[in-house]
Amino acid sequence: MSTEVKEKNTKKNKSEFLDIERLIPRLINSWPLYIVSILIALAIAFYFNNWKLNKIYSANTTFKIKDNNSSNNNLASNSINFIWGGNANKIDGLSYTLTSRMHNEKVVKKAESYIFYYEEGRFKKSDIYKLDAPFHVHIDTLYQQIANVEIKVKPKDNRSFYFEVENNNGSLYNFSKDSIVKSDVINLPKVGYYNQWIIGKNYKLKLTRSNLPFTTNTFSFKLVPIQVATSRATRNFNVSNPSKISSIIAVSKNAESLNEAVDILNNSIKVLIENELAERNLSAFQTRKYLQGRIATVKLKLDSATDQLQELQKRTGVYNFDTKKSEILSNLSELDKQRIQIQEKISALYRLMPKKSSSVDNLIALNIAGLDVTYYMSNVDKLDGLENQKIQMLKVYKANADEIKDIEQKIEKTRSDISNIVNAHLEKLNTDLSAVNSKLSETEFKAKDLPYEEIEFVEANRGFDLNSNLYSTLINQLNTTDLSLASIVSDITIIDPAKNQNQGSIYPNTRNNYLVALGIGFIIPFVLIIIKELLDFKVKVVKDITSRTNIPVLGLVGPLGDNSPLVVINNPKSGLSESFRSIRSNLKFLYKSSALNENNKTILVTSFIGGEGKTFNAMNIASTIGSMDKKTVLIGLDLRKPKIFDDFNINNKIGVTDFVAGDIELNKIVQHTILPNLDIITAGPIPPNPSELILSERMEQLFSELKNIYDYIIIDSPPIGLVTDSYDLMKFADCTLYVTRYNYSEKNFINTISNKYDEGEISNVGIIFNDFQIKSGYGYGYGYGYGYGYGYGYFSEDEAFDNSTLGKIKRLFQRIKEKLF
């Protein structure tokens, strides 16, 4: 293969996988499809945004917790540390509490959110909240009720309403035990009255009107078990620390109703405050109870000591002592008082439980023992934090991992630190007790020098003073506890309560959904057009030809439409006729080598398969040449399927086969047309051996005689993709016109003749693009005498062209119809 042929093949094989020049016009011209696709996508998005997807709303509240970092040992001021494990674990503790089952059961009962409300509109049924309904339902929780039955409420008048139950099978529910008793059936009256209890065998409920009016939608309600309502209340709760200030807590909740999110959130914080106050009050009440018990015991001892002292005074007549004896008695009383106080503190420390930081007994013990609560609790908080950290690490590491061993060592050290704190304080108290006991022994030794009667009086007076002082101390502590109990306020302060401010929904994100729909509406036709383009093997644009072959395109021929096939003869002013004249003018560029006969030119017209328009083009090329002063003959050599005779109103009784068979002379097979310079030779009767006839000597004789008579010989030959007859006839032709048809011929059809052209087996070949159309975005930039004049009075077709607004609208809808259907 020569270098020139290789270069031609390389150029031919560079056809693009996806022709951008062909694709872009198609994409642009498919704008009706884009509009319809985008409108459908936006309609679907509108449906999802407004009816299909449930809207989700978010409510938020912020509160702060008092920081108790002072060294004050007051019971109330430190109780928050015991309730939630100290300030260090507030977020985790509150997050767990706010989402816990027990907490939310209280919230559900407080908010009465165990009644589910529904609103059924035209398109869907929605969950709503009691604050969104035109009525509120109240039930007697001490009464067993039917649950899981949906009951519709329809207004009758301002005082009454209708009940409607489609399926009255439900479950008898016990609120106090939160359990289903059995399956049961509810039989409600048809009419009920607002603000009146409606009582039956298995129901007791009351409806009150809200400020909202009844709409055309249908409203209903359903009683559900507490656990079901609790599960709904706990969903989508989030607790966070919005700033670096650890005492500021933010809580949010998402729900299908904004009122539900607001109401559940506010009630949750209220329950949290109530629980915290209850915990703190419990601690204070326990301390008060402890002190009252001690006071009662000491009171009995004091009364007994008083009676004993009074009886002794009456019996001995001694009421006063001298200075020395009074001093001994005073010292004994003071030392006894100190000993009792120290013993009380030591006893409290022995009751301390370091591993239970939330124990109320710990609070009492710490305060009685006089231990620094803040310092002690900081270590307890540290221990809690380390133990929680260990729990989290065990989810990642094995129990014998080094990381677990390290955290266990830290836990053990912290526990040891807590024990050391208690032991150090206990050691100090024991030292103080020993010192007091020592002084007490010395004073008691001095008292032994007194006479027996006086010693008896000293002991009686000593017992009285001891119990009296202890009683006074306990009374003071009780008064302090009562004062503390009266002054207890919550450590939780609400900063911003949850509020319905008509906030928009956070889901669905309508804007994003519309943008996604817009993108999908654009992408789907884009992808479909690309897929269609990739699967479209038909010739649509000139580049489909030029990218696959080096054969030049000689001209473009538009669609025939309703015109007669002999368009040059019957409609000489049409655009089609002009395109054939353009081809006639371009024929001279194909004669690069000397003609087979100096006096005439032979043109062979062929195609790859039938239906591509070779006969149509051959007839009109012959007509446009015959309309000049050149004597022209059109010869039909498609011996297997003759065609040209019908359009010229001539017969096919005799023709080429008769001449080649040797039965008739040339002048007998020539038929004349209305054009003086155009003659026709039909194929004649279909022979049994057309290939042999084409290769016969008589065929060569036929062309020899024709060349002596005519200036131009136009050959209508068989398709080259079906038979080889056209290649055999090419030896008689000065040039070959290969016809390919818009949206009919496949792009690869051109390869057959292109390969022979590149190999040098044939030459002087030109391509005619038949039925060329400027629609679907194809063909821009390739006029060649067609497609550039409609609507401007240039061709005869323009006489019927409607350039009015109505005409433009009709053409617009026609284009949309072509794209979609």
Side-chain angles (χ1 to χ4, degrees):
M1 184 183 295
S2 66
T3 303
E4 182 181 357
V5 172
K6 289 182 179 180
E7 291 177 353
K8 290 181 179 181
N9 287 336
T10 301
K11 178 182 177 183
K12 179 186 69 175
N13 292 330
K14 283 184 178 179
S15 58
E16 299 175 2
F17 173 73
L18 187 63
D19 192 343
I20 302 300
E21 183 179 350
R22 170 177 163 138
L23 176 63
I24 290 178
R26 190 168 193 170
L27 291 172
I28 295 174
N29 205 55
S30 297
W31 61 266
L33 181 61
Y34 283 96
I35 292 177
V36 172
S37 176
I38 290 172
L39 289 177
I40 292 174
L42 291 176
I44 293 174
F46 181 81
Y47 167 72
F48 272 84
N49 285 336
N50 292 275
W51 293 302
K52 180 64 176 178
L53 299 176
N54 294 325
K55 292 185 177 181
I56 303 297
Y57 298 87
S58 180
N60 303 273
T61 185
T62 307
F63 62 91
K64 67 178 179 178
I65 299 176
K66 186 189 299 180
D67 248 336
N68 298 299
N69 295 323
S70 66
S71 60
N72 184 8
N73 291 338
N74 182 273
L75 184 65
S77 66
N78 289 285
S79 63
I80 192 71
N81 295 321
F82 285 85
I83 296 171
W84 289 308
N87 289 334
N89 296 319
K90 270 186 251 172
I91 300 295
D92 292 339
L94 285 172
S95 180
Y96 176 79
T97 301
L98 289 170
T99 57
S100 65
R101 179 179 59 83
M102 291 297 295
H103 173 82
N104 281 281
E105 281 184 1
K106 295 178 182 178
V107 174
V108 165
K109 292 175 181 178
K110 187 177 185 66
E112 294 186 332
S113 57
Y114 41 75
I115 306 292
F116 285 3
Y117 295 80
Y118 305 94
E119 181 179 7
E120 187 171 358
R122 181 180 301 177
F123 297 100
K124 74 168 186 174
K125 184 177 183 180
S126 303
D127 281 344
I128 60 174
Y129 194 60
K130 65 179 182 180
L131 300 178
D132 303 311
F135 58 87
H136 293 163
V137 181
H138 307 275
I139 64 168
D140 187 348
T141 56
L142 300 178
Y143 201 88
Q144 289 187 347
Q145 305 275 355
I146 286 292
N148 300 321
V149 174
E150 187 175 343
I151 303 168
K152 294 182 179 179
V153 177
K154 296 183 178 179
K156 180 183 178 185
D157 51 43
N158 292 332
R159 298 178 55 253
S160 59
F161 52 86
Y162 293 106
F163 277 132
E164 184 178 314
V165 183
E166 294 182 0
N167 184 359
N168 58 1
N169 294 318
S171 304
L172 190 61
Y173 178 66
N174 188 313
F175 268 87
S176 60
K177 297 181 179 179
D178 187 21
S179 62
I180 300 295
V181 178
K182 62 178 181 177
S183 298
D184 207 343
V185 176
I186 189 171
N187 293 305
L188 287 166
K190 292 184 179 180
V191 178
Y193 294 89
Y194 294 110
N195 302 315
Q196 293 185 11
W197 286 103
I198 303 170
I199 305 174
K201 175 185 175 183
N202 46 24
Y203 59 85
K204 184 178 180 181
L205 53 89
K206 177 174 65 175
L207 269 67
T208 58
R209 282 300 305 271
S210 68
N211 295 327
L212 299 176
F214 275 92
T215 63
T216 56
N217 294 339
T218 301
F219 293 89
S220 58
F221 70 92
K222 178 172 67 175
L223 171 65
V224 298
I226 292 294
Q227 58 182 346
V228 176
T230 301
S231 176
R232 174 168 167 172
T234 55
R235 287 198 297 262
N236 301 317
F237 243 102
N238 181 50
V239 182
S240 62
N241 182 209
S243 66
K244 296 181 180 180
I245 305 174
S246 61
S247 59
I248 302 296
I249 308 298
V251 187
S252 64
K253 176 173 172 57
N254 300 338
E256 293 183 15
S257 166
L258 180 57
N259 282 325
E260 178 180 4
V262 169
D263 194 47
I264 293 295
L265 202 56
N266 286 333
N267 276 290
S268 183
I269 303 303
K270 288 179 182 178
V271 170
L272 188 70
I273 293 173
E274 291 172 359
N275 288 344
E276 187 247 339
L277 286 174
E279 284 284 333
R280 300 181 67 184
N281 289 337
L282 176 62
S283 302
F285 279 123
Q286 290 287 358
T287 303
R288 189 172 185 271
K289 182 179 179 181
Y290 170 81
L291 292 172
Q292 286 176 336
R294 292 288 294 137
I295 288 171
T297 302
V298 173
K299 178 74 166 53
L300 292 175
K301 294 181 180 180
L302 178 61
D303 291 342
S304 175
T306 302
D307 292 341
Q308 184 180 358
L309 178 61
Q310 288 176 350
E311 183 181 350
L312 183 61
Q313 286 175 337
K314 290 178 182 180
R315 181 168 55 85
T316 61
V318 178
Y319 293 92
N320 294 309
F321 291 99
D322 56 28
T323 304
K324 183 178 180 180
K325 294 175 183 177
S326 297
E327 182 181 352
I328 292 174
L329 184 60
S330 176
N331 289 337
L332 286 172
S333 298
E334 180 63 29
L335 290 172
D336 281 333
K337 179 181 178 182
Q338 292 179 13
R339 183 188 64 182
I340 293 298
Q341 289 178 344
I342 294 174
Q343 287 176 340
E344 190 74 19
K345 291 181 179 180
I346 292 174
S347 178
L349 284 182
Y350 279 120
R351 293 200 305 271
L352 194 64
M353 294 178 288
K355 294 183 180 180
K356 296 182 179 179
S357 61
S358 61
S359 170
V360 174
D361 292 337
N362 281 0
L363 286 172
I364 299 171
L366 288 172
N367 282 275
I368 291 175
L371 188 63
D372 189 335
V373 177
T374 303
Y375 183 60
Y376 175 84
M377 280 307 303
S378 65
N379 284 276
V380 173
D381 289 344
K382 182 179 179 181
L383 178 60
D384 289 344
L386 290 171
E387 289 179 342
N388 290 333
Q389 186 179 351
K390 179 183 175 182
I391 293 173
Q392 297 299 322
M393 291 176 67
L394 284 173
K395 297 178 181 179
V396 181
Y397 300 101
K398 294 182 178 180
N400 58 351
D402 292 338
E403 290 80 3
I404 300 298
K405 292 179 180 179
D406 182 61
I407 197 72
E408 286 177 343
Q409 290 177 359
K410 293 180 180 179
I411 291 173
E412 192 61 34
K413 183 180 183 304
T414 305
R415 286 176 179 169
S416 176
D417 291 341
I418 294 174
S419 297
N420 291 338
I421 294 171
V422 176
N423 291 333
H425 197 69
L426 185 61
E427 184 178 351
K428 180 180 181 302
L429 290 175
N430 285 323
T431 301
D432 294 342
L433 182 61
S434 297
V436 170
N437 286 333
S438 177
K439 292 180 180 179
L440 190 60
S441 298
E442 293 177 1
T443 306
E444 288 175 344
F445 182 78
K446 292 178 181 180
K448 289 181 180 181
D449 295 336
L450 298 174
Y452 174 77
E453 294 81 3
E454 294 180 358
I455 293 175
E456 186 181 10
F457 189 84
V458 167
E459 289 295 332
N461 201 74
R462 176 185 177 188
F464 172 78
D465 288 343
L466 176 63
N467 287 287
S468 178
N469 290 333
L470 181 57
Y471 183 79
S472 297
T473 301
L474 291 174
I475 290 294
N476 289 334
Q477 289 182 348
L478 181 61
N479 291 334
T480 302
T481 301
D482 287 339
L483 181 62
S484 174
L485 186 62
S487 62
I488 286 178
V489 294
S490 175
D491 284 337
I492 298 174
T493 303
I494 299 176
I495 299 175
D496 289 318
K499 190 175 182 180
N500 184 344
Q501 296 178 313
N502 296 320
Q503 302 97 308
S505 61
I506 62 171
Y507 177 87
N509 190 325
T510 55
R511 181 175 177 272
N512 282 354
N513 287 349
Y514 283 128
L515 290 176
V516 170
L518 190 64
I520 292 175
F522 178 82
I523 290 174
I524 287 178
F526 181 81
V527 172
L528 289 177
I529 291 170
I530 290 179
I531 293 174
K532 186 176 180 180
E533 179 66 25
L534 291 173
L535 298 178
D536 188 357
F537 303 108
K538 304 295 184 181
V539 176
K540 293 289 181 66
V541 294
V542 176
K543 191 176 180 181
D544 291 339
I545 301 171
T546 58
S547 63
R548 286 168 172 77
T549 182
N550 296 294
I551 300 174
V553 177
L554 200 65
L556 309 180
V557 177
L560 180 62
D562 297 330
N563 294 316
S564 166
L566 293 175
V567 63
V568 172
I569 295 176
N570 297 327
N571 197 0
K573 291 185 178 181
S574 67
L576 275 175
S577 299
E578 186 61 29
S579 65
F580 285 113
R581 295 187 189 99
S582 176
I583 293 173
R584 181 186 65 190
S585 300
N586 293 333
L587 282 173
K588 60 179 176 291
F589 298 110
L590 294 182
Y591 304 132
K592 296 180 181 179
S593 58
S594 58
L596 299 176
N597 189 300
E598 294 181 358
N599 298 323
N600 60 69
K601 304 293 182 184
T602 302
I603 303 169
L604 182 141
V605 183
T606 188
S607 64
F608 189 80
I609 58 173
E612 292 179 293
K614 63 176 180 57
T615 300
F616 165 70
N617 279 269
M619 291 189 302
N620 283 284
I621 289 172
S623 298
T624 191
I625 295 176
S627 62
M628 302 187 300
D629 58 353
K630 301 292 184 180
K631 195 164 181 61
T632 306
V633 62
L634 172 62
I635 177 170
L637 285 179
D638 190 353
L639 303 182
R640 291 174 174 81
K641 196 174 182 180
K643 290 183 180 179
I644 60 176
F645 52 88
D646 284 338
D647 297 309
F648 284 100
N649 294 320
I650 58 178
N651 61 72
N652 192 38
K653 294 180 180 179
I654 58 173
V656 173
T657 55
D658 296 294
F659 179 86
V660 175
D663 298 335
I664 195 169
E665 298 298 326
L666 178 61
N667 61 349
K668 299 294 184 179
I669 63 173
V670 175
Q671 302 185 60
H672 302 291
T673 67
I674 59 174
L675 295 177
N677 291 321
L678 177 62
D679 293 334
I680 303 294
I681 299 177
T682 62
I686 300 174
N689 55 344
S691 296
E692 286 76 7
L693 292 179
I694 289 174
L695 296 172
S696 66
E697 293 182 358
R698 286 283 291 175
M699 184 63 70
E700 293 183 2
Q701 180 183 345
L702 173 63
F703 278 100
S704 178
E705 293 183 15
L706 289 174
K707 288 177 183 292
N708 292 328
I709 300 173
Y710 294 97
D711 296 314
Y712 284 90
I713 302 170
I714 312 299
I715 303 173
D716 177 26
S717 67
I720 62 173
L722 304 178
V723 293
T724 61
D725 296 354
S726 293
Y727 293 116
D728 295 331
L729 290 170
M730 286 181 186
K731 64 182 179 179
F732 302 115
D734 293 289
C735 67
T736 300
L737 299 181
Y738 178 85
V739 179
T740 186
R741 184 177 177 183
Y742 170 88
N743 203 30
Y744 183 87
S745 305
E746 293 192 9
K747 290 179 278 189
N748 291 329
F749 285 177
I750 198 82
N751 292 344
T752 302
I753 194 169
S754 181
N755 290 337
K756 290 185 177 295
Y757 178 80
D758 293 336
E759 295 291 340
E761 296 181 18
I762 59 175
S763 59
N764 296 354
V765 182
I767 295 176
I768 296 177
F769 195 175
N770 186 41
D771 199 21
F772 174 74
Q773 301 175 34
I774 312 179
K775 68 177 184 178
S776 299
Y778 297 120
Y780 68 97
Y782 298 99
Y784 284 98
Y786 175 72
Y788 56 85
Y790 284 161
Y792 295 95
Y794 199 86
F795 297 114
S796 60
E797 292 95 329
D798 297 341
E799 296 175 0
F801 186 80
D802 186 0
N803 200 34
S804 65
T805 302
L806 180 60
K808 293 177 181 178
I809 294 174
K810 288 181 179 179
R811 288 192 294 276
L812 173 62
F813 279 101
Q814 181 62 29
R815 290 182 67 187
I816 294 175
K817 182 179 178 182
E818 289 175 359
K819 300 305 169 193
L820 300 180
F821 308 102

